[in-house]
C-alpha cells in the first residue's frame, strides 16, 4: 500500500471523507475485484479529500504497478452479456460528441481504456478512423477478434503516434488511473495541434466519469454505490475542469450524462429484485411490445467534460 499526494495540486494535506470499509487492511490482488461488472459496491480503501483543492481520492492504495498488473490480467465474461446496454449508451453518446468535436470524415479518434472495443466499433461504423487502447490482454483479444484496431497497453507503455489524433475519448476510465494528471498530459501530446492558419480547432478530449459532488452522491453519502476499491479518484465537475486546464486544455462544456438500457432488460432486473411489482410490469411491457425501447438511466451522478488542446 502507498500513501499518495494530491494529483491535482501536489499538496499532502487531506481530511478523511469516507473511512476504509475493507477489514484487516486486506489488499485485494484478486483481478475479479477489478472486472467491469464486479459488484464490489461499498468495499473501498480510505477515501480522503485534499484540503487545498478539494480533490477526492483513495489513499493509501495499492502500489501503482500492482494496479496496472491487475488490469492487464482482467477477464470478464459477464461484460459480454451486458454488451447490449453499452452499445445503446455509446450510440447515445456519439451524436452529442459529434455536435461538439465535428463530423467523423475519417478523422483519427483514440478511445483510451476501450475494454472490448464497443465504442471503437460504433465510432468506426460512424466514419471515424477509430483506435482503441486497453491494458487487459483478454479484452484486447475480444476486440481484435471483431477486427477492431486496438492496441494493448496503457498511456504510459503503449507506442502511439504523437500529435496524430483529432479526438481522444475516456469513458468511465479516468477514475481508475493511478496518475490522471500524467495521463491527461500524455493525451494532450497524442492530440493534433491547433493550426490557426487553417482555422482548425485543436484536438478534442472527452472525459466521462462519476461526480462525487452530485446531489445523488451527497444524499447517499457513504452508501453512494460508486465508492469502490477500483475507483481511485472521485472527481467533481470543478476538480476535473481544473485538472484539464492545468494540462493545457480549454473547457468547451460539461454536462450530466447517464446511461441507456432496454426497457425489457430493466423490467427483468426489477422482476428479480421485486417479483410482486416487477413481474406484472414486465408482462405488461412485453404485451405492449415495448421491451426494445431504450430508456435513459440518469441519477445526475455521471458527467462528461469536453475540452480542446490549446
Ligand atoms: Zn489538492
Amino acid at each position: 500500500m502507498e500513501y499518495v499526494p494530491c494529483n491535482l495540486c501536489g499538496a499532502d494535506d487531506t481530511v478523511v471523507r469516507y473511512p476504509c470499509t475493507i477489514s484487516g487492511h486486506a489488499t485485494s490482488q484478486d483481478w475479479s475485484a477489478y472486472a467491469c461488472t464486479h459488484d464490489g459496491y461499498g468495499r473501498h480503501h480510505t477515501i480522503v479529500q485534499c484540503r487545498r483543492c478539494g480533490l477526492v481520492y483513495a489513499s493509501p492504495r495499492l502500489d501503482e504497478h500492482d494496479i496496472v498488473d491487475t488490469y492487464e490480467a482482467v477477464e470478464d465474461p459477464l461484460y459480454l452479456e451486458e454488451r447490449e446496454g453499452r452499445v445503446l449508451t455509446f450510440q447515445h453518446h456519439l451524436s452529442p460528441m459529434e455536435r461538439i468535436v465535428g463530423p467523423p470524415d475519417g478523422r483519427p479518434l483514440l478511445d483510451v481504456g476501450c475494454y472490448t472495443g464497443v465504442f471503437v466499433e460504433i465510432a468506426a461504423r460512424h466514419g471515424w478512423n477509430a483506435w482503441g487502447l486497453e491494458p487487459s490482454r483478454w479484452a484486447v483479444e475480444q476486440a481484435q477478434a471483431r477486427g477492431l484496431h486496438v492496441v494493448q497497453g496503457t498511456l504510459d507503455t503503449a507506442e502511439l503516434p504523437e500529435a496524430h489524433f483529432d479526438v481522444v475519448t475516456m469513458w468511465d476510465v479516468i477514475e481508475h488511473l493511478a496518475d490522471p494528471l500524467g495521463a491527461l498530459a500524455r493525451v494532450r501530446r497524442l492530440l493534433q495541434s491547433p493550426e490557426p492558419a487553417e482555422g482548425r480547432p485543436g484536438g478534442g478530449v472527452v472525459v466521462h466519469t462519476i461526480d462525487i459532488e452530485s446531489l445523488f452522491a451527497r444524499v447517499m453519502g457513504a452508501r453512494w454505490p460508486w465508492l469502490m476499491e477500483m475507483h481511485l479518484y472521485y472527481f467533481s465537475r470543478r476538480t476535473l475542469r481544473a485538472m484539464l486546464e492545468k494540462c493545457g486544455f480549454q473547457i468547451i462544456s460539461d454536462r450530466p450524462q447517464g446511461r441507456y438500457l432496454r426497457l425489457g432488460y430493466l423490467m427483468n432486473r426489477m422482476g428479480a429484485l421485486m417479483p410482486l411489482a416487477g413481474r406484472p410490469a414486465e408482462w405488461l411491457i412485453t404485451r405492449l411490445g415495448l421491451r426494445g425501447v431504450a430508456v435513459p438511466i440518469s441519477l445526475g451522478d455521471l458527467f462528461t467534460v469536453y475540452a480542446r488542446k490549446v
Side-chain angles (χ1 to χ4, degrees):
M1 300 288 279
E2 61 176 356
Y3 285 87
V4 281
C6 177
N7 195 247
L8 175 53
C9 76
D12 200 354
D13 182 12
T14 59
V15 58
V16 171
R17 183 142 166 181
Y18 299 110
C20 178
T21 61
I22 300 173
S23 55
H25 296 284
T27 61
S28 172
Q29 296 278 16
D30 173 9
W31 59 259
S32 67
Y34 289 76
C36 214
T37 51
H38 186 266
D39 62 347
Y41 297 114
R43 209 174 161 277
H44 56 80
H45 296 295
T46 305
I47 296 169
V48 300
Q49 180 159 27
C50 175
R51 280 188 218 257
R52 301 223 190 133
C53 73
L55 183 68
V56 178
Y57 60 100
S59 181
R61 67 178 190 207
L62 289 181
D63 180 78
E64 182 170 349
H65 299 289
D66 290 339
I67 294 169
V68 172
D69 288 350
T70 306
Y71 279 116
E72 286 183 344
V74 163
E75 295 185 22
D76 187 11
L78 270 182
Y79 183 90
L80 295 179
E81 288 175 25
E82 283 197 12
R83 199 172 174 284
E84 167 76 359
R86 314 224 177 218
V87 169
L88 272 178
T89 300
F90 286 140
Q91 280 169 344
H92 281 86
H93 282 359
L94 206 57
S95 302
M97 185 190 89
E98 287 176 356
R99 275 200 293 278
I100 292 171
V101 303
D105 294 336
R107 292 190 294 154
L109 173 150
L110 175 68
D111 187 32
V112 173
C114 69
Y115 211 49
T116 57
V118 173
F119 185 71
V120 176
E121 189 165 353
I122 291 169
R125 227 165 27 218
H126 245 240
W128 290 93
N129 172 14
W131 298 41
L133 174 64
E134 169 56 41
S136 160
R137 282 179 284 269
W138 171 86
V140 170
E141 278 171 24
Q142 304 292 319
Q144 289 174 344
R146 296 179 79 93
L148 304 174
H149 187 175
V150 172
V151 176
Q152 194 270 330
T154 67
L155 283 167
D156 283 332
T157 63
E159 283 191 28
L160 292 162
E162 303 268 318
H164 177 72
F165 297 97
D166 262 15
V167 178
V168 172
T169 52
M170 302 174 84
W171 305 109
D172 308 306
V173 163
I174 198 163
E175 65 272 22
H176 299 256
L177 302 181
D179 176 16
L181 188 78
L184 291 175
R186 175 84 204 278
V187 164
R188 188 176 181 280
R189 291 196 298 277
L190 296 174
L191 285 167
Q192 294 199 17
S193 293
E195 295 173 41
E198 295 175 28
R200 263 178 63 173
V205 63
V206 181
V207 185
H208 181 260
T209 186
I210 51 182
D211 184 354
I212 187 80
E213 303 300 349
S214 61
L215 181 64
F216 185 64
R218 285 164 172 274
V219 168
M220 294 296 282
R223 289 171 296 124
W224 190 43
W226 299 122
L227 302 178
M228 43 207 304
E229 185 182 11
M230 63 180 192
H231 290 158
L232 305 180
Y233 290 91
Y234 298 86
F235 287 96
S236 64
R237 286 153 82 166
R238 187 186 64 77
T239 54
L240 184 54
R241 289 170 71 115
M243 188 173 281
L244 280 160
E245 282 169 353
K246 190 170 180 180
C247 290
F249 291 99
Q250 177 187 21
I251 308 299
I252 303 169
S253 80
D254 65 293
R255 60 189 66 180
Q257 191 169 31
R259 299 183 174 182
Y260 284 80
L261 292 173
R262 293 264 183 231
L263 205 47
Y265 176 84
L266 190 65
M267 288 299 136
N268 183 274
R269 302 309 305 162
M270 266 183 67
L273 284 171
M274 304 177 288
L276 279 181
R279 296 260 160 78
E282 186 178 5
W283 177 85
L284 187 64
I285 293 298
T286 306
R287 290 278 295 188
L288 294 173
L290 297 176
R291 291 191 69 90
V293 173
V295 287
I297 306 295
S298 182
L299 299 167
D301 59 349
L302 302 170
F303 72 110
T304 309
V305 177
Y306 297 88
R308 73 166 55 101
K309 179 174 177 174
V310 285

